[in-house]
Amino acid sequence: MNHTISGKPPPDLSSPIPLDLPFRIPTNLRVLRRCTLVLSDPAQNYRLANLVQHYDLLVLRPTTEKALQQACSLDCDMISLDLTMRFPFHFKHKTLSTALQRGIKFEICYAPGILPSNSSARRNLISNATQLIRATRGKGIVISSETKRAVGCRAPWDVINLATVWGLGQERGREAIAQEARSVVVQAEMKRRSYRGVIDVLYGGEKPGLVANMAKGNSGGKEQETTTGNGQKRKAGLTDESMQTEEARPLSKREQKRQAKKAKLETFKVAEGFPTETSGGNLAPKSVDTSGHGPNATMSG
């Protein structure tokens, strides 16, 4: 939903668009609040920082060449030009590239060019849209309708064909009604709720059970430990599935060699009569026959 402000902004910058709309909307539809601010005097303080707090999108509409240069350097989400009017200046790539490098898009509204209301508006729209596409090299273009009636809306492929007439290719035209429009919404949302418009944590990937166990363990001051069936200790935050996964993990070749060497050493100790870890040290060493008088002879002091 769009709210247009012309001239000096009012002292009360609250949005007239309510958060809770009076009509019913589908659950999969998201309604954004947009403010279109008309720039005519570059010396005027428009308090853009206050407008950003009350709207989801902030769009600037310059009417003069100086206002366009100022809009390309201001902090906004998109620049929308009224292409139905005749501009006394040409769009320059050097001026528009300043906004493109900062991630600001340019909007082209096609409804005035297809409605049979004014032939001069249609002629100016075709001429200005061609110049804008040439000056931006076809980058950063967003195409919308800006119509107040349903008869002014067109299907996506009709809009792409219309953009082809203006000099924008089909791939660029498809991006103008899909990827570019979405990037404007995503960047505007990042500016308003992220850290310096760069970092935004949506979901850390924590499991609900693991978070509850960690919170319970931290409340006691120490992490609780439980004992598994094989005598190994583990922390309370680990789940049974993770333990089963760890136990079922295949052994490496180094671990297999180490276990084989350990088993061989245990077998040698049992054969020689030395105590082993499994016997608990209860085996006595065998007597060694050095006198040659039989297997039961013992060593004499």
Side-chain angles (χ1 to χ4, degrees):
M1 301 185 68
N2 184 35
H3 176 224
T4 303
I5 300 177
S6 300
K8 185 178 180 180
D12 184 14
L13 294 178
S14 60
S15 174
I17 305 174
L19 293 176
D20 298 330
L21 299 177
F23 50 87
R24 188 175 181 181
I25 59 175
T27 56
N28 58 350
L29 179 63
R30 182 182 177 188
V31 179
L32 301 176
R33 299 182 301 169
R34 163 178 165 168
C35 176
T36 303
L37 181 62
V38 179
L39 296 181
S40 56
D41 186 8
Q44 178 68 36
N45 183 14
Y46 292 97
R47 295 179 293 173
L48 300 182
N50 297 332
L51 288 174
V52 170
Q53 301 176 1
H54 301 283
Y55 295 92
D56 298 322
L57 294 175
L58 178 59
V59 182
L60 301 182
R61 173 160 289 183
T63 57
T64 61
E65 185 176 5
K66 292 185 178 180
L68 177 59
Q69 295 176 357
Q70 183 188 20
C72 292
S73 59
L74 293 177
D75 188 9
C76 63
D77 301 320
M78 190 165 54
I79 297 176
S80 177
L81 298 169
D82 187 7
L83 301 181
T84 58
M85 60 181 295
R86 185 179 180 86
F87 292 100
F89 59 91
H90 296 283
F91 301 125
K92 300 178 181 179
H93 175 70
K94 184 178 180 180
T95 303
L96 303 184
S97 62
T98 305
L100 294 175
Q101 292 175 359
R102 298 173 55 243
I104 300 176
K105 313 298 180 182
F106 290 90
E107 183 184 30
I108 297 178
C109 303
Y110 64 84
I114 60 177
L115 296 177
S117 58
N118 191 354
S119 60
S120 61
R122 187 185 306 111
R123 183 171 57 253
N124 292 334
L125 175 64
I126 296 174
S127 176
N128 292 328
T130 304
Q131 291 186 24
L132 182 63
I133 293 173
R134 175 190 54 79
T136 58
R137 306 295 192 267
K139 300 178 181 179
I141 299 294
V142 177
I143 301 178
S144 61
S145 63
E146 201 188 20
T147 181
K148 299 180 180 179
R149 296 180 297 173
V151 70
C153 294
R154 291 294 183 269
W157 281 107
D158 294 338
V159 178
I160 294 175
N161 294 334
L162 186 61
T164 305
V165 176
W166 296 336
L168 196 65
Q170 287 191 354
E171 292 297 331
R172 294 287 188 181
R174 188 172 182 179
E175 293 177 358
I177 62 176
Q179 287 89 346
E180 296 292 348
R182 175 177 171 77
S183 65
V184 172
V185 178
V186 173
Q187 290 180 7
E189 190 175 6
M190 286 286 293
K191 290 180 182 179
R192 285 158 177 79
R193 76 175 191 180
S194 64
Y195 177 71
R196 294 185 178 181
V198 178
I199 302 175
D200 186 16
V201 179
L202 300 179
Y203 174 62
E206 300 86 358
K207 294 182 180 180
L210 181 59
V211 173
N213 293 333
M214 291 177 62
K216 190 179 297 183
N218 293 334
S219 62
K222 294 182 179 180
E223 294 183 351
Q224 300 177 358
E225 294 184 353
T226 58
T227 307
T228 59
N230 55 2
Q232 296 180 356
K233 291 184 178 181
R234 65 181 178 88
K235 295 181 180 180
L238 298 177
T239 59
D240 296 337
E241 292 79 359
S242 60
M243 290 297 298
Q244 294 176 2
T245 305
E246 185 176 356
E247 292 176 358
R249 187 180 303 169
L251 298 177
S252 61
K253 293 183 179 181
R254 184 176 181 181
E255 185 66 19
Q256 291 176 1
K257 291 182 179 180
R258 191 181 69 83
Q259 292 188 1
K261 185 177 180 181
K262 184 177 180 181
K264 186 177 180 180
L265 183 60
E266 292 290 339
T267 305
F268 176 76
K269 288 182 179 181
V270 172
E272 295 295 331
F274 293 99
T276 60
E277 296 179 358
T278 57
S279 62
N282 297 327
L283 293 179
K286 290 183 179 182
S287 58
V288 181
D289 187 9
T290 58
S291 60
H293 297 289
N296 296 327
T298 59
M299 293 179 63
S300 59

